[in-house]
Amino acid sequence: MFRLSQKGEQIQQMFNTIAPTYDFLNHLLSFGIDKRWRTKTVAMLDIPEQGRVLDVATGTGDVALELAKQLPASVAITGADFSAEMVARGEQKIAQSPYRDRINFTVAPCEDLPFPDNHFDGITIAFGIRNVVDRRLGLAELWRVAKPEGQLLILEFSTPRSALFRGLYHLYFKRILPLIGGLFSQYDAYKYLPDSVLEFPTSEQFCETMRSVGFSDVRCIPLTFGIASIYCGRKRS
């Protein structure tokens, strides 16, 4: 059984704590743009009938629900997250949706997924890869469970290239966002968010890590002036 590092356990506990307000603050702090980003990411998937899709760091299931909305009814969807509290919230949302028979959840970290090799036609992970402590191991695990020709789509915050926009972005992320988050939830958690984004590798570095574990056709698509990016890869035969 995989054992999280001390840092991993701290991040896991943080997400368990903020789970009750996670959805509300996500949409508030991103001005609702996060919904558009998720929709665009899912629209890039090409999944066959009877296919399987895995959403890692599924949280409360927003991407899983978007997958069910966009993909054929015969596609099975699995969500995995290392926070039991987030998964519990996700299960409640799914149970109240028209897609409850198509989506199932499991509690597991990205570095140790309880699925066989070559199992999924597509894998998504939204705003979660920066929380994976051993990122290279996590990507290698995603490569392992993907089928040959399977897609990987990673949606993640990034740092804008424009100096002016980057300055405004840092002001909001480092000063304003933690204060708003602290009003409704835990200040430290919403201070961690900008810190984790600013510590994330450059798009070039992250793409190279994806290639190093075996993914091909790797590219990065910036969104909304570079505030977020979609990283694409495929497991070639």
Side-chain angles (χ1 to χ4, degrees):
M1 182 176 178
F2 184 82
R3 185 176 179 81
L4 292 172
S5 65
Q6 182 179 7
K7 182 178 179 181
E9 288 179 347
Q10 290 171 346
I11 297 171
Q12 180 188 54
Q13 182 55 46
M14 179 191 73
F15 278 102
N16 283 336
T17 301
I18 67 173
T21 56
Y22 182 78
D23 283 348
F24 166 71
L25 282 172
N26 252 11
H27 305 324
L28 173 68
L29 295 171
S30 71
F31 306 104
I33 301 173
D34 62 308
K35 297 178 183 178
R36 224 165 46 230
W37 292 338
R38 289 185 180 91
T39 300
K40 181 177 177 65
T41 302
V42 171
M44 294 175 65
L45 282 172
D46 180 19
I47 307 298
E49 294 281 350
Q50 309 296 327
R52 298 190 193 99
V53 180
L54 171 65
D55 181 45
V56 179
T58 196
T60 61
D62 278 350
V63 172
L65 284 166
E66 187 62 34
L67 288 164
K69 185 191 299 184
Q70 291 196 36
L71 296 177
S74 63
V75 173
I77 299 158
T78 301
D81 199 289
F82 73 164
S83 165
E85 291 298 323
M86 296 288 273
V87 168
R89 294 266 163 180
E91 288 175 334
Q92 291 173 11
K93 281 167 63 173
I94 300 305
Q96 297 168 7
S97 80
Y99 310 112
R100 54 187 171 274
D101 296 329
R102 294 181 54 199
I103 303 171
N104 63 83
F105 288 100
T106 188
V107 178
C110 182
E111 299 98 323
D112 188 25
L113 297 169
F115 309 111
D117 298 353
N118 307 315
H119 193 65
F120 293 101
D121 299 279
I123 301 172
T124 57
I125 174 168
F127 309 118
I129 195 66
R130 72 179 187 283
N131 302 314
V132 178
V133 176
D134 193 333
R135 204 167 289 131
R136 192 178 190 284
L137 177 60
L139 287 169
E141 187 70 346
L142 298 179
W143 187 90
R144 179 187 69 78
V145 300
K147 286 183 180 180
E149 302 304 320
Q151 288 176 274
L152 170 65
L153 295 174
I154 298 175
L155 173 61
E156 189 52 88
F157 287 113
S158 50
T159 302
R161 293 183 182 272
S162 161
L164 174 61
F165 202 77
R166 187 167 60 245
L168 294 171
Y169 177 77
H170 285 180
L171 174 65
Y172 175 72
F173 244 42
K174 298 181 75 172
R175 304 286 185 184
I176 301 172
L177 185 148
L179 291 175
I180 298 174
L183 289 174
F184 297 97
S185 186
Q186 190 179 67
Y187 175 85
D188 288 346
Y190 287 89
K191 184 178 181 304
Y192 162 82
L193 170 61
D195 289 346
S196 66
V197 172
L198 297 176
E199 291 169 3
F200 196 73
T202 64
S203 58
E204 293 83 2
Q205 290 169 334
F206 186 67
C207 285
E208 185 52 42
T209 304
M210 289 177 65
R211 293 186 189 99
S212 74
V213 303
F215 284 103
S216 303
D217 306 335
V218 174
R219 60 195 175 108
C220 172
I221 302 171
L223 304 173
T224 318
F225 307 107
I227 292 175
S229 297
I230 301 173
Y231 297 91
C232 314
R234 193 177 286 273
K235 179 178 179 177
R236 289 300 184 189
S237 300

